[in-house]
Amino acid sequence: DIQMTQSPSSLSASVGDRVTITCRASQTMGFYLNWYQQKPGKAPKLLIYAASTLQSGVPSRFSGYGSGTDFTLTISNLQPDDFATYFCHQSHSAPYTFGRGTKLEI
Amino acid sequence: EVQLVESGGGLVQPGGSLRLSCAASGFTFDSYWMAWVRQPPGKGLEWLANLRSDSNEVYYLDSVRGRFFISRDNAKNSLYLQMSTLRAEDTAVYYCARLPWLHNAFAFDLWGQGTMVTVSS
């Protein structure tokens, strides 16, 4: 099974900041990495798929990078709506696994 | 409107069974892989199972294989999760999710609102 190590587990930032969240896979997996945003009491929302492709409707301040085992999600010019929890997810092989999440707080 | 709506959650005793349903609308349901993902209270996401559009290919998380059964009825635009021998650790919000092939990768691009399952005596 591919294990996903996501860091940091929490992050404090301010409106206008630029933040980066990292996900490391326990084995190489090409570009099969997705990122989701989740707000309290809501379902996750797909932000980025295939490591770097922005899902339709997602603001361009979100960007993804990486391949193989190391991936990043960067949010530039943080907006109030961006304070949420973010999860990475590998779809290379079953069992599909998620990172433990990064809670982005003010 | 493109949406997924889960139902069937509730309180069940340890060892009991429950069947979750997910009603799809606004898209061609029988063209997509579908999946169930759960989230225990205050914790992260856990993928449970995938089912191909024609039901001919399925994958399960090891810890639920043999206890949970994913199925679909394309004529009714519905996905199901039959859960049996439930344990306290199965307590979670259960989401159904659409799983398209996007630019050479699967990703969950549409989620339901979730249904809560509580396993407790």
Side-chain angles (χ1 to χ4, degrees), chain A residues 14-20 59-63 73-79 82:
Chain A
S14 301
V15 172
D17 284 354
R18 180 175 183 263
V19 298
T20 297
S60 59
R61 62 181 181 272
F62 292 90
S63 62
L73 170 70
T74 297
I75 313 170
S76 302
N77 187 23
L78 272 172
Q79 297 300 299
D82 300 337

Side-chain angles (χ1 to χ4, degrees), chain B residues 14-33:
Chain B
S17 299
L18 207 59
R19 188 197 196 205
L20 305 182
S21 299
C22 172
S25 58
F27 65 96
T28 307
F29 180 72
D30 61 8
S31 295
Y32 291 89
W33 283 76

Side-chain angles (χ1 to χ4, degrees), chain A residues 32 34 36 38 43-44 91 95-96, chain B residues 39 47 50 104 106 108 111-112:
Chain A
Y32 294 91
N34 310 308
Y36 302 84
Q38 187 179 33
S91 59
Y96 291 175
Chain B
Q39 185 170 36
W47 167 83
N50 285 353
N104 301 318
F106 278 119
F108 300 117
W111 298 68

